Amino acid sequence: MTDFANIKSHLTIGDTTLTLPLIQGGMGVGISLSNLAGSVAAAGGVGVISTAQIGFDQEGWDASPLETNLKAIGMHIRRAREIAAQKQKEEKYKGRTGMIAANIMVATRFYEKYVRAAVAAGVDLIISGAGLPASLPDFVRGSKTKIAPIISSLKAAKVILRLWDKKYKRIPDLLVIEGPLAGGHLGFSPESLKHIDMDAYDREITDIIATARDYGEKYGKKIPVAVAGGIDSAKKVNHYLDLGADGVQVATRFVTTWECDAPMAYKQAYIHAFKEDIRIVKSPVGMPGRAIYNDFMARVEKGERFPIHCHGCLEKCQPSKIPYCITDALVNAARGDVDHALLFCGANAWKAEKIQTVDEVIEDLFA
């Protein structure tokens, strides 16, 4: 086992320097909850809870999804802290410093309520994408919670940095760059995802890092930058750290861990997938996404429509105009009904060969 205490992590968020320059990506519905987040935080990284329909497995969710989700946010944040604290009593985890974060999509209906619920529960960090979190500083005002927008382009980085600077006289505590090889909903056009030029995107990353540095200097602080998307090995981790990133965000590698909150059927879908099974699909809310192609997606492509019972998940969703409910499809995945599910994944999900522990994945990434 690598002595992670010897890793020179430069990922400092607020006044917390993490043992590992690692953020575990947020995955919803029900894939990254308290067990995975607590385990990663115990190891010295940022463990991230996805708030997307987080209360799906709680009593009363069908009748009152918003209220149930808001209660579940606090429950999972507390549980993740308890898991991390318990693990850090073990000798191998002693002295490690991690954080608990919540991933909250800007596109979420009642976004502000979700943010305020996470802040009230004492979450360390909120990571927010699927739109630009223009008003996020307002919602955490007066708290110790740190905030991090997810962006995918230099243009988006400049917009959010300029906006927060002008309106709130502040900068992000962290900037996450999510690239074209990431899983789930993607901040790229379908056309650009057909021919991905990673060398060109590396240049985009260095430009974003330079822009973040300029804004940080204005405030006498550093804006740490983490890169996400397709990072599945120590070679790729080192590549982005060498480019100037302060850390990496990794999601797909943590799905096939024992600690991941996903059901075994979901994890096995990754293990059994071939490279050609990983496809760009059109989400019912109009955004491109990356998922494992299955019978459900084939039926959607043929034009089949599925019954919809609105769960109030996304702000701009129009139930009368969509072929299926994205919540139902993702909840099916989280419950193990993978043949009737949307199976979001990163570009390299097909490389998974076995179930590992969180420690073993970290060993692969930082060996």
Side-chain angles (χ1 to χ4, degrees):
M1 174 67 73
T2 299
D3 182 1
F4 296 118
N6 291 330
I7 293 176
K8 298 299 182 183
S9 174
H10 300 289
L11 182 53
T12 299
I13 303 173
D15 56 3
T16 301
T17 298
L18 297 149
T19 302
L20 300 170
L22 171 68
I23 301 163
Q24 160 250 311
M27 298 170 283
V29 171
I31 307 306
S32 64
L33 297 176
S34 46
N35 197 56
L36 178 58
S39 299
V40 174
V46 179
V48 182
I49 296 165
S50 169
T51 66
Q53 300 293 36
I54 189 171
F56 79 97
D57 59 349
Q58 301 297 304
E59 185 179 352
W61 178 75
D62 277 322
S64 304
L66 174 61
E67 291 77 8
T68 309
N69 286 338
L70 295 179
K71 289 179 182 178
I73 288 172
M75 179 191 74
H76 278 288
I77 290 170
R78 289 189 296 272
R79 186 180 292 170
R81 289 206 185 283
E82 291 167 1
I83 290 169
Q86 188 63 35
K87 284 180 174 288
Q88 287 183 334
K89 293 178 181 178
E90 300 175 31
E91 188 62 36
K92 65 178 178 179
Y93 292 119
K94 284 183 179 178
R96 300 197 195 186
T97 301
M99 297 178 79
I100 301 295
N103 180 292
I104 308 176
M105 297 189 299
V106 179
T108 302
R109 193 173 295 180
F110 305 112
Y111 171 69
E112 180 179 348
K113 291 181 182 292
Y114 281 75
V115 172
R116 292 193 184 280
V119 170
V123 77
D124 297 319
L125 171 70
I126 290 174
I127 301 173
S128 213
L132 289 178
S135 301
L136 184 56
D138 250 346
F139 305 152
V140 302
R141 196 187 301 273
S143 75
K144 295 181 179 180
T145 299
K146 309 306 178 187
I147 50 177
I150 299 174
I151 51 89
S152 295
S153 67
L154 176 61
K155 180 181 178 180
K158 287 182 175 180
V159 168
I160 199 69
L161 288 167
R162 187 184 305 120
L163 176 64
W164 285 12
D165 174 35
K166 183 177 181 180
K167 187 174 182 180
Y168 300 107
K169 301 295 186 286
R170 69 159 298 168
I171 51 177
D173 299 294
L174 169 72
L175 197 63
V176 178
I177 307 172
E178 194 167 87
L181 299 181
H185 287 127
L186 302 168
F188 299 87
S189 68
E191 294 72 26
S192 67
L193 293 168
K194 292 177 181 177
H195 306 286
I196 299 172
D197 184 343
M198 290 307 295
D199 289 333
Y201 198 71
D202 279 356
R203 292 191 289 274
E204 184 100 349
I205 289 170
T206 56
D207 287 343
I208 294 170
I209 292 171
T211 300
R213 186 185 306 119
D214 290 342
Y215 273 87
E217 287 176 356
K218 179 178 179 179
Y219 286 83
K221 300 177 182 179
K222 178 179 181 179
I223 303 174
V225 176
V227 177
I231 300 172
D232 60 357
S233 66
K235 181 179 179 180
K236 291 179 182 177
V237 170
N238 289 328
H239 171 73
Y240 289 112
L241 295 180
D242 289 344
L243 275 184
D246 301 284
V248 293
Q249 178 176 286
V250 178
T252 294
R253 281 298 307 268
F254 287 109
V255 170
T256 50
T257 60
W258 295 107
E259 294 92 337
C260 179
D261 300 88
M264 185 55 67
Y266 188 97
K267 301 174 187 182
Q268 291 294 338
Y270 276 45
I271 292 171
H272 295 150
F274 293 96
K275 187 175 184 179
E276 55 269 24
D277 295 326
I278 312 300
R279 311 264 189 102
I280 299 297
V281 301
K282 185 178 180 180
S283 161
V285 294
M287 299 169 67
R290 181 172 281 110
I292 297 174
Y293 195 77
N294 59 0
D295 180 63
F296 175 74
M297 292 313 304
R299 292 166 66 187
V300 171
E301 283 189 356
K302 291 176 182 176
E304 188 170 342
R305 296 180 66 85
F306 296 82
I308 293 173
H309 167 65
C310 183
H311 302 280
C313 61
L314 299 178
E315 186 66 43
K316 296 182 179 180
C317 180
Q318 295 179 282
S320 63
K321 297 182 179 180
I322 58 176
Y324 68 94
C325 172
I326 191 167
T327 284
D328 285 342
L330 293 173
V331 166
N332 284 346
R335 290 174 174 165
D337 185 7
V338 296
D339 293 328
H340 302 92
L342 176 58
L343 303 171
F344 274 151
C345 68
N348 297 321
W350 61 276
K351 293 183 179 180
E353 296 179 342
K354 60 184 178 181
I355 306 297
Q356 296 180 285
T357 64
V358 161
D359 280 353
E360 287 170 337
V361 170
I362 292 174
E363 176 84 11
D364 289 345
L365 295 173
F366 294 99

